[in-house]
C-alpha cells in the first residue's frame, strides 16, 4: 500500500508542478509533510538542501529521497517513476504531434513566433545570474560593489568556450579551481 501512496503522491506532484522546482515546493510540502506526515518540517528543510546540492530537478530528487526514507530502494524507484511519468507522457505526446504535423505552415509559424520569446527568457535568466554573481543579491550595480575576480573568471571562461571551443565541463572545473585559488589568496 505504501508503494501505491508514494506513486500517486509523486504522480500528482509531477502532474501539477509547473514552473520548476521552487514552484513545486508548496505542493511537495503539502503531500509529504502535511497530508502523509512522511517527513517533519525539519526533515523537509533538509530535503530541500539535499535536492539543491544534487544534480537534477528538485521534484525528482525529492521523490527519490522520500522514497528511500519511506520504503527503501523500491520506494525510491516507485516515487521517482510517479514523479517523472507525467512529463514523459506529455513530452512523448507533444513529440508525436510535432512529428505528425511539423510540415504544417501554421505550426511552423507558431514555433517561429515563439523562438524570440524563448531567447528573451533565456537571456533574461542569464543577465539575472550575471548581476547576482557580479554584484550580489542587493541589486546595487556599482563599480565599487563589483566582484572583479568573478568578472575575470567569467571572461576567461567565455573565451575558453567561444574562442578555443573547450569542453564546458572542463571550463566549469577550471572556473571552480580559479575561484578556489582566489579564495585561498584572500580575494
Amino acid at each position: 500500500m505504501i508503494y501505491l501512496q508514494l506513486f500517486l503522491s509523486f504522480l500528482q506532484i509531477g502532474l501539477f508542478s509547473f514552473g520548476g522546482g521552487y514552484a513545486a515546493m508548496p505542493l511537495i510540502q503539502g503531500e509529504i509533510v502535511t497530508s502523509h506526515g512522511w517527513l517533519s518540517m525539519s526533515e523537509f528543510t533538509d530535503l530541500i538542501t539535499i535536492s539543491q546540492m544534487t544534480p537534477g530537478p528538485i521534484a525528482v530528487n525529492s521523490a527519490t529521497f522520500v522514497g528511500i526514507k519511506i520504503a527503501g530502494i523500491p520506494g525510491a524507484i516507485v516515487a521517482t517513476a510517479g514523479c517523472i511519468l507525467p512529463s514523459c507522457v506529455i513530452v512523448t505526446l507533444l513529440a508525436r504531434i510535432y512529428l505528425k504535423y511539423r510540415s504544417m505552415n501554421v505550426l511552423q509559424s507558431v514555433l517561429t513566433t515563439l523562438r524570440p520569446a524563448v531567447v528573451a527568457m533565456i537571456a533574461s535568466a542569464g543577465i539575472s545570474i550575471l548581476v547576482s554573481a557580479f554584484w550580489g543579491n542587493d541589486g546595487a550595480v556599482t563599480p565599487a560593489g563589483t566582484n572583479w575576480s568573478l568578472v575575470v573568471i567569467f571572461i576567461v571562461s567565455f573565451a575558453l568556450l567561444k574562442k578555443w571551443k573547450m569542453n564546458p565541463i572542463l571550463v566549469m572545473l577550471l572556473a571552480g579551481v580559479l575561484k578556489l585559488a582566489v579564495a585561498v589568496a584572500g580575494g
Side-chain angles (χ1 to χ4, degrees), residues 18-43:
F18 293 97
Y22 294 114
M25 281 299 119
L27 187 58
I28 296 170
Q29 179 184 352
E31 280 295 309
I32 65 175
V33 176
T34 309
S35 293
H36 296 289
W38 289 329
L39 298 179
S40 67
M41 197 58 196
S42 174
E43 290 173 318

Side-chain angles (χ1 to χ4, degrees), residues 28-91:
I28 296 170
Q29 179 184 352
E31 280 295 309
I32 65 175
V33 176
T34 309
S35 293
H36 296 289
W38 289 329
L39 298 179
S40 67
M41 197 58 196
S42 174
E43 290 173 318
F44 179 72
T45 304
D46 292 342
L47 166 72
I48 301 308
T49 303
I50 292 169
S51 294
Q52 288 291 326
M53 293 182 344
T54 54
I58 292 172
V60 174
N61 293 344
S62 299
T64 306
F65 180 81
V66 171
I68 283 177
K69 183 174 185 322
I70 301 305
I73 298 294
I77 293 169
V78 167
T80 303
C83 188
I84 64 171
L85 181 65
S87 298
C88 291
V89 170
I90 291 168
V91 168

Side-chain angles (χ1 to χ4, degrees), residues 42 49 56 92-93 100 110 120 141 144 153 179:
S42 174
T49 303
T92 302
L93 290 174
K100 186 174 182 179
V110 167
V141 178
I153 291 171
K179 177 57 179 152

